[in-house]
Amino acid sequence: MAAAGPSVFLLMVNGQVESAQFPEYDDLYCKYCFVYGQDWAPTAGLEEGISQITSKSQDVRQALVWNFPIDVTFKSTNPYGWPQIVLSVYGPDVFGNDVVRGYGAVHVPFSPGRHKRTIPMFVPESTSKLQKFTSWFMGRRPEYTDPKVVAQGEGREVTRVRSQGFVTLLFNVVTKDMRKLGYDTGPPDTQGVLGPSPPPGLPR
Amino acid sequence: MAEVHVIGQILGATGFSESSLFCKWGVHTGAAWKLLSGVREGQTQVDTPQVGDMAYWSHPIDLHFATKGLQGWPRLHLQVWSQDSFGRCQLAGYGFCHVPSSPGTHQLDCPTWRPLGSWREQLARAFVGGGPQLLHGDAIYSGADRYRLHTAAGGTVHLELGLLLRHFDRYGVEC
């Protein structure tokens, strides 16, 4: 019998949190973290990070740029629980308090190659107008106690949110031993940065 | 046994006349398929977009199936509802799409429809809200009794689904 094949495959992700578009807000910073299933474990790199505070550029683009590096490697025995990156963006409100401006999450792409993803960012919203006013006034907006909730599907049916911005991420993905274990991840992304086109409504 | 992983998101919806939307989704498979991990159905959050007119849900889908046959390839069925400021929910559309069958990442646009009633019911819907709904959800993804329905188009639901196949080449399946 031939020598036993690998039982574990590796996923290496690097890239950056490139920029954001929030038409109404300025002076933002973002935090990222990875959420993954029980069969996954990070083996190298950083699982979380906090970026710098960025302001909108003075020119006509009004760009918010972080250019914040991401570099992590995971090992796993099972693609279930594929890692997702969860982003939380924070900024100051009128009174100077740090409030959340958006949460978003996306799965790390699984075909090897270069991928660009623009993800929408949303904030939880209070239902009553009085609560919206008091939270604006006191600087304590509704936020998630654990941002990792954004990566889960369960429990979402009771939340109301408002989507108010986008963040663009770039990923380079390399996998090891997935094919030896019998997995077919499809064609590597030969289009480079121009991945599948985003649905209408997302800024290009 | 061959295995299929469906990993992706229900991104959001465009083209609906109402703005605060949520989606109830479910996956239906044939008898040869078995769900090993993941939840088979769920409901997204209610989103009110500030920027543009697309409602964004970013609802993660992570399913792991084992299968003994190709029949009954998984189908994702969706119901889009709108919620008004009083908390009442109104049906905005039904839709379904098959999970893609080739490995890799796919962008899917799922069109939706909603049942029209008689002219009285349409008038009532315009003023008061409500409107006819399907009694049995399986009419969304099966063609059996569709000839009885008269429907109008709703908006489009956008999904990004990635498919990972395992051991399909062992059984000689090409996809």
Side-chain angles (χ1 to χ4, degrees):
Chain A
M1 195 161 153
S7 60
V8 160
F9 63 89
L10 291 182
L11 168 71
M12 195 227 22
V13 186
N14 59 38
Q16 52 174 293
V17 180
E18 188 186 84
S19 59
Q21 283 119 353
F22 279 87
E24 302 167 6
Y25 305 112
D26 201 356
D27 295 328
L28 303 171
Y29 69 94
C30 83
K31 293 196 210 181
Y32 77 83
C33 65
F34 283 93
V35 174
Y36 40 86
Q38 289 176 321
D39 296 321
W40 289 80
T43 57
L46 294 167
E47 254 188 271
E48 338 184 286
I50 304 183
S51 75
Q52 76 274 24
I53 300 177
T54 183
S55 300
K56 281 190 177 145
S57 57
Q58 303 292 329
D59 55 21
V60 73
R61 287 177 311 157
Q62 298 275 288
L64 286 155
V65 166
W66 286 308
N67 191 215
F68 187 51
I70 299 171
D71 197 342
V72 67
T73 306
F74 292 98
K75 70 172 183 201
S76 174
T77 52
N78 183 4
Y80 177 70
W82 195 273
Q84 297 182 59
I85 185 169
V86 172
L87 284 165
S88 333
V89 174
Y90 298 88
D93 68 356
V94 155
F95 302 108
N97 307 306
D98 229 1
V99 294
V100 65
R101 294 304 190 195
Y103 295 103
V106 72
H107 285 280
V108 168
F110 48 72
S111 28
R114 197 148 174 247
H115 307 263
K116 196 170 204 172
R117 293 279 186 265
T118 302
I119 63 173
M121 305 296 282
F122 56 84
V123 283
E125 204 179 42
S126 347
T127 10
S128 73
K129 289 207 168 34
L130 178 63
Q131 180 139 42
K132 282 187 193 161
F133 175 74
T134 40
S135 64
W136 172 83
F137 190 64
M138 304 297 292
R140 289 202 213 112
R141 307 288 174 98
E143 50 184 83
Y144 293 117
T145 46
D146 184 4
K148 299 193 175 189
V149 161
V150 170
Q152 291 165 4
E154 297 89 15
R156 283 214 184 175
E157 56 261 19
V158 294
T159 52
R160 268 197 230 216
V161 299
R162 196 173 66 233
S163 48
Q164 53 189 24
F166 302 94
V167 172
T168 305
L169 300 148
L170 278 169
F171 293 107
N172 291 316
V173 171
V174 174
T175 59
K176 174 177 189 282
D177 289 337
M178 280 196 83
R179 205 164 294 153
K180 277 193 197 160
L181 285 166
Y183 290 101
D184 186 358
T185 55
D189 204 318
T190 49
Q191 297 166 5
V193 172
L194 292 170
S197 57
L202 278 179
R204 302 211 162 249
Chain B
M1 295 232 288
E3 293 170 35
V4 174
H5 289 267
V6 183
I7 298 170
Q9 283 187 341
I10 305 180
L11 292 172
T14 53
F16 287 95
S17 46
E18 304 92 350
S19 64
S20 297
L21 298 170
F22 66 95
C23 174
K24 293 199 212 187
W25 62 274
V27 172
H28 179 260
T29 56
W33 294 74
K34 188 171 154 212
L35 183 66
L36 297 178
S37 327
V39 273
R40 195 181 271 273
E41 54 188 21
Q43 187 174 316
T44 68
Q45 58 212 14
V46 181
D47 182 51
T48 317
Q50 291 280 90
V51 183
D53 63 348
M54 177 162 172
Y56 289 100
W57 298 313
S58 300
H59 190 96
I61 294 184
D62 198 338
L63 298 161
H64 183 191
F65 290 104
T67 180
K68 293 183 287 208
L70 289 177
Q71 274 65 42
W73 193 272
R75 282 176 284 200
L76 196 62
H77 57 266
L78 307 157
Q79 299 179 28
V80 182
W81 293 74
S82 70
Q83 189 179 52
D84 63 10
S85 48
F86 302 112
R88 298 180 307 165
C89 299
Q90 178 171 297
L91 179 74
Y94 293 115
F96 95 97
C97 59
H98 279 95
V99 163
S101 44
S102 55
T105 314
H106 305 264
Q107 302 281 339
L108 302 169
D109 293 330
C110 178
T112 60
W113 49 269
R114 61 176 174 82
L116 285 175
S118 61
W119 66 268
R120 270 185 248 253
E121 286 166 339
Q122 289 178 48
L123 199 61
R125 185 177 197 270
F127 283 104
V128 175
Q133 301 167 22
L134 288 175
L135 264 184
H136 301 289
D138 48 350
I140 305 174
Y141 51 82
S142 92
D145 280 323
R146 285 278 189 103
Y147 67 89
R148 295 171 199 266
L149 287 174
H150 184 194
T151 66
T156 312
V157 177
H158 304 280
L159 303 119
E160 187 179 276
L161 290 180
L163 212 76
L164 211 53
L165 303 176
R166 189 179 194 202
H167 297 325
F168 269 60
D169 46 351
R170 252 192 222 171
Y171 298 95
V173 175
E174 294 125 4
C175 46

